[in-house]
Amino acid sequence: MYFVTIPVVKERFKKELTEVRTDESGWIKYYYDKATEKEWVEYYPYQEDRAPSILKRTDLPTELESLMNTCFSSDEVEDWRGLGAELSSKEYGISKIAKVLKANAQKWSGEALSEFKKSFRPIDNRNIIGMKMDEVEKSYREFVDSKKEIDNIIK
């Protein structure tokens, strides 16, 4: 398991962990699991409202395709949901997510993709400051088209 997203399960699981540090903001906490010798981080993937927090193992790949392969290859529903939340953060661009889904969705289970979609809320993380109006429009169109492509892949 790489993610814990269900609040009651997360709180129960945290009781088995040792808190090791908190980031400078006070919002992100790191924990250590003595049983598995793995580190976990409690963070807020939905940055617009800081809710809900989830737990994520810190040893997950950071490269997008590797991360998606790791989570979609898991048998844990929590990993599929957690991936959706993780990819909703500003760390990953929606057009890159659409590209990886298009290239790989056929090898991932329909159930995994469906659970992923329930937690995936893509954020328009374009930086439009200083862009010309036609560049803003093009950027917006890329975002909308990528979202439609994802919706077509995951029905």
Side-chain angles (χ1 to χ4, degrees), residues 18-32:
T18 303
E19 186 175 333
V20 291
R21 68 185 183 281
T22 301
D23 81 337
E24 61 279 348
S25 74
W27 286 94
I28 300 172
K29 296 180 180 180
Y30 293 84
Y31 297 89
Y32 184 71

Side-chain angles (χ1 to χ4, degrees), residues 99-151:
K99 183 178 178 182
V100 172
L101 277 170
K102 185 176 184 178
N104 296 284
Q106 74 284 350
K107 70 180 181 183
W108 298 324
S109 80
E111 180 185 10
L113 292 168
S114 177
E115 289 297 329
F116 165 82
K117 188 175 181 181
K118 291 177 185 177
S119 299
F120 181 59
R121 291 189 255 161
I123 294 183
D124 181 358
N125 60 359
R126 301 171 300 133
N127 182 3
I128 61 172
I129 296 173
M131 281 185 168
K132 296 178 181 172
M133 197 59 182
D134 61 327
E135 293 170 327
V136 171
E137 176 61 32
K138 180 182 177 202
S139 176
Y140 175 72
R141 182 60 30 219
E142 287 174 3
F143 177 84
V144 170
D145 290 347
S146 294
K147 175 68 171 99
K148 283 181 184 175
E149 186 172 10
I150 290 169
D151 288 342

Side-chain angles (χ1 to χ4, degrees), residues 1-3 21 30-33 36-41 55-63 66-67 70-71 79 86 92:
M1 179 168 42
Y2 299 102
F3 290 95
R21 68 185 183 281
Y30 293 84
Y31 297 89
Y32 184 71
D33 183 351
T36 63
E37 298 182 348
K38 301 292 181 190
E39 185 181 58
W40 291 79
V41 60
L55 283 171
K56 170 181 79 168
R57 276 189 19 198
T58 60
D59 62 335
L60 274 167
T62 55
E63 190 274 321
S66 294
L67 173 64
T70 298
C71 292
D79 292 338
E86 173 75 5
Y92 302 95

Side-chain angles (χ1 to χ4, degrees), residues 49-94:
D49 62 5
R50 290 219 184 263
S53 68
I54 65 172
L55 283 171
K56 170 181 79 168
R57 276 189 19 198
T58 60
D59 62 335
L60 274 167
T62 55
E63 190 274 321
L64 181 61
E65 189 165 353
S66 294
L67 173 64
M68 292 174 77
N69 273 320
T70 298
C71 292
F72 281 129
S73 297
S74 170
D75 293 331
E76 298 282 340
V77 172
E78 286 287 270
D79 292 338
W80 308 331
R81 291 174 182 165
L83 177 65
E86 173 75 5
L87 297 186
S88 296
S89 72
K90 291 186 176 185
E91 299 297 315
Y92 302 95
I94 190 169

